[in-house]
Amino acid sequence: MIIPLLGAPNKTRHRSQSIRDLINYYLVDNRADDEYPMIAYPTPGAVLFSSIAGSSVRGCYEWRGVGYAVIGSTFYEVSSTGVTTSRGTLSTTSGRVEFASLEGTGGEIVIVDGTAGYSYLVATQNFATITDADFPNGAPYVTAFDERFIVAVPNSSNWQISAVADGRTWAAADVASKRSRDDLLVAPVYNNLYIWLFGEESAEAWVNTGNADFTFERQPGLAISFGLVTSHGVVVAGNQLYWIGSTAKGSALIYQSNGFQPMVIS
């Protein structure tokens, strides 16, 4: 006699229906002429790739097949074989960090932690705090597009761009303002040839037109009345944006961009 100890998992709210739950196993149909109709295989485990001691992982980034991470106050490089090397030290020890990169001359990665900005020159392995007096210290988010690093100026509707292919050089004149609504700017996000400026209650799109005064210009009509709850609450996947949004009336929901229209998916 065959006792059916295993069956397809089918947990429901009612115990009378089923309380089966497979933990780390999955069922595969067996051959039709076999004695047992299914086989339970264990889920393949993970293989340790690299290990770094530290209090907390504050952010991870990948660029050209090399991994980077900030753990505690240390900026690490992780090679394709899992070898870790300390490349620099931040002035903070906790809180989320954000990364952006440009090809430039040998490649550059800029990191912001909400207090200061940092630059890592990949070719020379040089790590340094951004000391330019015109850099807006306190920026919580950084992105990059068309050879410019881009950050939000804290506690304002403004955003600022770096010098061409140089995250260590900034100018006070290279600043523009979010215009569709006067809410505070939360994060500038690059996606599909546009810079999306997410405020607390609204967002608008800008493109690089090569304007002599400020290289980016706002696109008329590309504005939405759905903002961003937190600078770390937006993800770019493919050509779409996903973010935790809010409106002037509140209500945090998860949105997905559908062209230039937000779609609630939460």
Side-chain angles (χ1 to χ4, degrees):
M1 180 178 70
I2 297 177
I3 301 176
L5 297 177
L6 293 175
N10 183 32
K11 292 188 71 173
T12 69
R13 296 179 63 182
H14 302 285
R15 292 176 61 88
S16 60
Q17 288 181 287
S18 176
I19 56 172
R20 284 194 297 261
D21 191 17
L22 297 181
I23 305 298
N24 292 333
Y25 280 84
Y26 63 98
L27 296 180
V28 176
D29 290 331
N30 213 342
R31 298 191 312 268
D33 59 348
D34 198 277
E35 180 180 4
Y36 305 102
M38 289 186 171
I39 299 176
Y41 286 106
T43 303
V47 176
L48 180 63
F49 175 71
S50 183
S51 178
I52 306 174
S55 56
S56 62
V57 178
R58 302 172 61 190
C60 295
Y61 192 70
E62 184 274 335
W63 190 74
R64 304 235 166 172
V66 178
Y68 299 92
V70 173
I71 300 179
S73 62
T74 306
F75 173 67
Y76 289 96
E77 177 184 295
V78 185
S79 72
S80 58
T81 59
V83 177
T84 62
T85 306
S86 172
R87 295 299 187 194
T89 303
L90 282 67
S91 62
T92 57
T93 59
S94 61
R96 283 281 301 272
V97 300
E98 296 290 345
F99 304 80
S101 57
L102 288 175
E103 176 59 37
T105 304
E108 182 179 9
I109 298 172
V110 165
I111 307 165
V112 295
D113 60 6
T115 298
Y118 313 87
S119 164
Y120 177 65
L121 303 181
V122 178
T124 60
Q125 300 176 345
N126 179 267
F127 181 91
T129 300
I130 299 174
T131 57
D132 192 315
D134 290 325
F135 177 77
N137 284 318
Y141 195 92
V142 60
T143 190
F145 175 46
D146 273 0
E147 298 188 298
R148 304 274 191 167
F149 289 102
I150 302 168
V151 297
V153 179
N155 303 313
S156 74
S157 298
N158 298 335
W159 55 296
Q160 189 168 349
I161 61 177
S162 72
V164 175
D166 185 358
R168 300 185 179 190
T169 303
W170 300 73
D174 287 334
V175 175
S177 296
K178 179 177 172 294
R179 299 174 183 172
S180 60
R181 190 173 296 178
D182 62 356
D183 50 333
L184 295 180
L185 180 62
V186 179
V189 182
Y190 167 71
N191 182 54
N192 199 26
L193 301 181
Y194 288 89
I195 293 295
W196 282 94
L197 302 180
F198 278 99
E200 295 176 322
E201 300 173 355
S202 64
E204 62 189 42
W206 291 53
V207 295
N208 189 349
T209 63
N211 186 289
D213 294 328
F214 189 80
T215 189
F216 294 93
E217 292 187 76
R218 181 190 167 201
Q219 292 302 285
L222 297 186
I224 58 177
S225 298
F226 299 86
L228 182 64
V229 171
T230 170
S231 59
H232 307 301
V234 58
V235 174
V236 179
N239 290 328
Q240 293 179 308
L241 291 167
Y242 299 85
W243 74 97
I244 303 174
S246 62
T247 67
K249 296 183 179 180
S251 68
L253 298 172
I254 300 176
Y255 295 89
Q256 171 188 326
S257 62
N258 181 17
F260 296 102
Q261 297 299 319
M263 180 173 62
V264 176
I265 61 172
S266 61

